[in-house]
Structures are given as C-alpha cells and as structure tokens.
Amino acid sequence: VIPGFNDSHCHVMEAGAQLNTRNLSSMSTSEIAEYLFSANKYDENTTPRIGMGLEDGGFYQMKEEGMEDTPDHLPLILFHQSGHAAIANAPAVQSLGIQNAARSGLWHVEKGERAESAYVIHEPYECPGILNLLQRRNRRDDQLSANVETALTAYRDAGITSIQDNTWDPEILRYLAFMARGISISSWAKGDDPGSAWEMGSGIDLPSNITLGPVKFFLDGAFSNKTAWLWDPYVGEGNWCGEGKSSRE
C-alpha cells in the first residue's frame, strides 16, 4: 500500500476531447452553445451538451455573471480544465434532476452568484447522470478514434513514452490496445471497483506496451473545487471541510 497526496496521471479520451475542442474560454455562452449543438447532431436539443477544458477565467466569469445568454434554453454542461468541477445552466441541471442535490459526498451542486442561470457541479465525474452522458458521447466510434488518436499523437510529439491512464472504460481500453504504438500505458483499477481493470481486460488481446496496473483508492476530492478532505474548514465556507468516501476513523 502506497499512500499518496497526489499522483501523476492522465485521461487519454478526455485529453483528446479537450485538444479537439475549441478554446471555450474565449467564447460567450451563446457561441459555446451554438458550437456544441452544431457539432453534435446525434441527440435531441433537450439532451445536455458537454464542453471540455474551460479555463479559470471563463469558468469563474460564468459563475459570477450567469449563463443567461444561452439561446433557446439549450442545456449546457461545461467542464473546468481540471475535470474536478463543471458549470451548467438551469436547463441542464433540471434535465438531470440535480438542481437540488445536497452538499454531501464528493459530488454536489452549488448555485452560482446568479442562481437561476448558473450552477457549479463539484466532482462531476461522480454524478451518475453526467457519467451516463459522457459514456454515451465517448463510446461513439468516430469520437473515440479521433480523440484517442489526437491524445496519443500529442503525447508522442511531446516526447512522452509512458503514461498512467485513469479512464476505466473497457471500450476506450480496446481502442488503446488497437491504436497505442510507441508509448507504454498503465491502466489502473479504480478502488471503488478493484476488479474493474481486470474485468476491462478480459477478452481483449492487450499488446505488450499496455499493462493493467494496481488499484487506486479515492478518499476525497481536490483542492481546486474544495472537495479535498481537511481537518479545518475552508476559508469563507463556514464549517465545510470537504468530505471523504469513508469516516475519519
């Protein structure tokens, strides 16, 4: 058992998705909506569209100013570049039924400065509704192949020869097994489901450069969105110390 304050890892699919998406921080909410909805014609307009890689400036500006200029009340969920937070408009959280999600556990919803038009979702990857949307999007063959290839090309161009991938999706692992050349990948198992990596690898002919790594357990979230578990409260957050997945004992 190796305790870790942090580790160096990546998410190959998400990295490719960010690289294949325009810089959302330079766009208005209405421009982002038009871009995301025009790029995805598979789903109905009532299905939230997900954007990746929102930088600090754009993220906090939307939190403070709201997202009222979204055209035709189109539902949007925009991920901060860290992946540990997302900002969504009212149609999106209402469609997922999470507008009143309580502040407990790793994922929760916080109303923005203008509550009717912007909501901050902490640890969105832990939210079942959002996870379902991501899986539906990520498993489309055209997007899978394009995003994985973009990420792998970026790693190779940067001279990176070895990565730890924390994706935990069997479909993505299949694509990595087929496409990953010239780079070594260790796919770790998620502590909530220690058998996940081995189950993912069943029936897949993994090349020698891809290995199924150890089990990674998550006790809490991240400092960036105040879900890391502390002994003392966060400044300006009342008694909120973050929250873990188990008791302190």
Side-chain angles (χ1 to χ4, degrees):
V1 177
I2 304 175
F5 181 72
N6 203 346
D7 67 351
S8 176
H9 69 269
C10 66
H11 304 271
V12 174
M13 230 299 303
E14 286 81 357
Q18 287 195 28
L19 291 171
N20 284 332
T21 300
R22 290 169 56 187
N23 184 349
L24 302 182
S25 293
S26 64
M27 304 163 65
S28 67
T29 309
S30 60
E31 290 172 334
I32 292 173
E34 181 179 355
Y35 167 63
L36 292 178
F37 276 81
S38 64
N40 182 358
K41 299 294 187 181
Y42 297 96
D43 297 320
E44 299 292 333
N45 282 353
T46 54
T47 301
R49 298 302 197 270
I50 293 178
M52 311 294 288
L54 198 63
E55 297 174 357
D56 283 346
F59 185 87
Y60 290 107
Q61 182 178 357
M62 288 184 185
K63 179 181 177 181
E64 294 172 1
E65 298 180 2
M67 302 172 69
E68 290 178 347
D69 60 340
T70 308
D72 301 322
H73 304 290
L74 298 175
L76 290 178
I77 301 174
L78 308 178
F79 273 65
H80 184 264
Q81 60 186 358
S82 70
H84 289 281
I87 191 159
N89 59 5
V93 296
Q94 289 166 3
S95 71
L96 295 175
I98 61 174
Q99 63 269 32
N100 297 315
R103 192 171 194 175
S104 71
L106 287 189
W107 84 269
H108 61 273
V109 176
E110 172 193 356
K111 293 182 179 180
E113 301 298 326
R114 297 172 67 179
E116 297 303 317
S117 61
Y119 294 75
V120 176
I121 305 170
H122 298 274
E123 300 298 341
Y125 283 101
E126 299 288 330
C127 172
I130 294 178
L131 188 60
N132 180 58
L133 286 174
L134 287 168
Q135 289 176 337
R136 287 171 52 192
R137 186 198 68 165
N138 292 349
R139 290 181 178 182
R140 295 192 184 105
D141 288 341
D142 58 334
Q143 292 188 335
L144 260 174
S145 58
N147 291 335
V148 168
E149 181 57 33
T150 295
L152 293 176
T153 299
Y155 295 143
R156 287 191 288 258
D157 289 348
I160 296 172
T161 59
S162 178
I163 60 173
Q164 173 192 326
D165 178 57
N166 287 4
T167 300
W168 303 302
D169 188 313
E171 289 303 310
I172 296 174
L173 185 61
R174 291 180 191 279
Y175 272 81
L176 290 176
F178 178 72
M179 301 173 68
R181 298 294 180 268
I183 187 168
S184 297
I185 299 175
S186 175
S187 184
W188 287 33
K190 193 173 183 179
D192 289 348
D193 183 11
S196 60
W198 290 270
E199 291 175 5
M200 281 168 44
S202 62
I204 303 176
D205 186 16
L206 294 177
S208 59
N209 61 312
I210 297 182
T211 58
L212 300 179
V215 179
K216 178 179 178 180
F217 288 89
F218 291 84
L219 295 180
D220 60 355
F223 288 114
S224 59
N225 63 319
K226 301 179 181 178
T227 54
W229 201 10
L230 308 180
W231 287 111
D232 297 316
Y234 285 91
V235 175
E237 295 293 328
N239 294 322
W240 178 252
C241 299
E243 191 157 349
K245 287 193 170 184
S246 61
S247 69
R248 293 186 185 274
E249 288 76 21

